[in-house]
Amino acid sequence: MTDFIQTSASRSLENAVQDHFIPAEAPWSGIVRKGQTIRIEDSYGQQAIDTLFYRADDFYERYSNQDTMREQGAAYIGTGTRIMSNEGNVMLTMMADSCGRHDTSAGACSCESNTVRFGHGTKYLHACRDNFVLEVTKHGMSKRDIVPNINFFMNVPIKPDGEMTIVDGISSPGDYVELVAEMDVLCVISNCPQINNPCNGFDPTPMRVLIWDAAPDTGA
């Protein structure tokens, strides 16, 4: 695990080496190097941000929601969560979380699931799976490489009997998570376009991604 973590309070926007504004309903992808910190910001509140991670030099190693939940013994992602790969390696560690609710069980919306859940009239509405396909193909992958994802800021209570329901999000404008990369990773995001359930407050909005280099170790 990374030995030196720069705190959120000591980071400034001016020092970010990357700063991306992702429009509503749009995808994004980028490399996060080992030791760098990525901030994923819900700029307007109540916006689900579907996210996948792949090992940058071997895309066959990728995020595993099962291993991540088993490793931490919890169903949700939060501060201290080690984001695990299908090879059992730590990909990133979540170091900050201003919201407190992030799902990794409900998966990404798709044209097929929209049709089943909301009727045939929704079949051709844009969906996260479409975004993921568009983005991973830029890196030589296909829809076969899309695995169950993290849904940052999506509120999915799980009842004692295992029933899950997507309900109103609790994130406020500007809420964010920060993760430090424990290996070079490709981050792939779908800024969720769903308008048929309350995961985006029925109004998809833009989001922001920032990346900082690791702070120098001064030996203190």
Side-chain angles (χ1 to χ4, degrees), residues 13 16-18 27 50 95 118 128 152 159 212:
L13 300 182
V17 295
Q18 295 186 45
D50 292 43
M95 304 306 299
F118 310 115
C128 282
F152 289 116
K159 297 180 180 179
W212 287 269

Side-chain angles (χ1 to χ4, degrees), residues 67-94:
D67 290 295
T68 298
M69 287 187 285
R70 182 172 62 246
E71 172 71 18
Q72 65 172 337
Y76 298 108
I77 306 296
T79 302
T81 294
R82 301 199 300 172
I83 304 301
M84 305 298 295
S85 77
N86 59 332
E87 298 291 338
N89 296 315
V90 182
M91 306 186 78
L92 309 96
T93 303
M94 187 184 288

Side-chain angles (χ1 to χ4, degrees), residues 25-27 29 126-139 141 146 188:
E25 306 184 15
S29 63
H126 197 49
C128 282
R129 189 167 177 83
D130 298 329
N131 276 343
F132 280 148
V133 170
L134 286 169
E135 208 61 29
V136 300
T137 55
K138 297 178 182 178
H139 304 278
M141 291 183 279
I146 299 169
V188 181

Side-chain angles (χ1 to χ4, degrees), residues 103-175:
D103 163 74
T104 190
S105 300
C109 59
S110 67
C111 294
E112 294 79 7
S113 64
N114 282 344
T115 301
V116 171
R117 294 173 181 171
F118 310 115
H120 287 281
T122 66
K123 181 177 181 179
Y124 299 105
L125 293 178
H126 197 49
C128 282
R129 189 167 177 83
D130 298 329
N131 276 343
F132 280 148
V133 170
L134 286 169
E135 208 61 29
V136 300
T137 55
K138 297 178 182 178
H139 304 278
M141 291 183 279
S142 73
K143 62 182 179 180
R144 293 173 63 91
D145 296 293
I146 299 169
V147 294
N149 56 284
I150 300 173
N151 293 307
F152 289 116
F153 310 108
M154 194 161 90
N155 189 12
V156 186
I158 301 175
K159 297 180 180 179
D161 64 0
E163 181 183 350
M164 300 188 303
T165 305
I166 298 172
V167 299
D168 291 337
I170 62 173
S171 55
S172 301
D175 270 346

Side-chain angles (χ1 to χ4, degrees), residues 2 24 33 36 60 62 75 92 108 127 168 181 191 198 216 219:
T2 303
R33 299 295 178 187
Q36 289 185 322
Y60 288 105
R62 67 278 302 265
L92 309 96
D168 291 337
N191 194 14

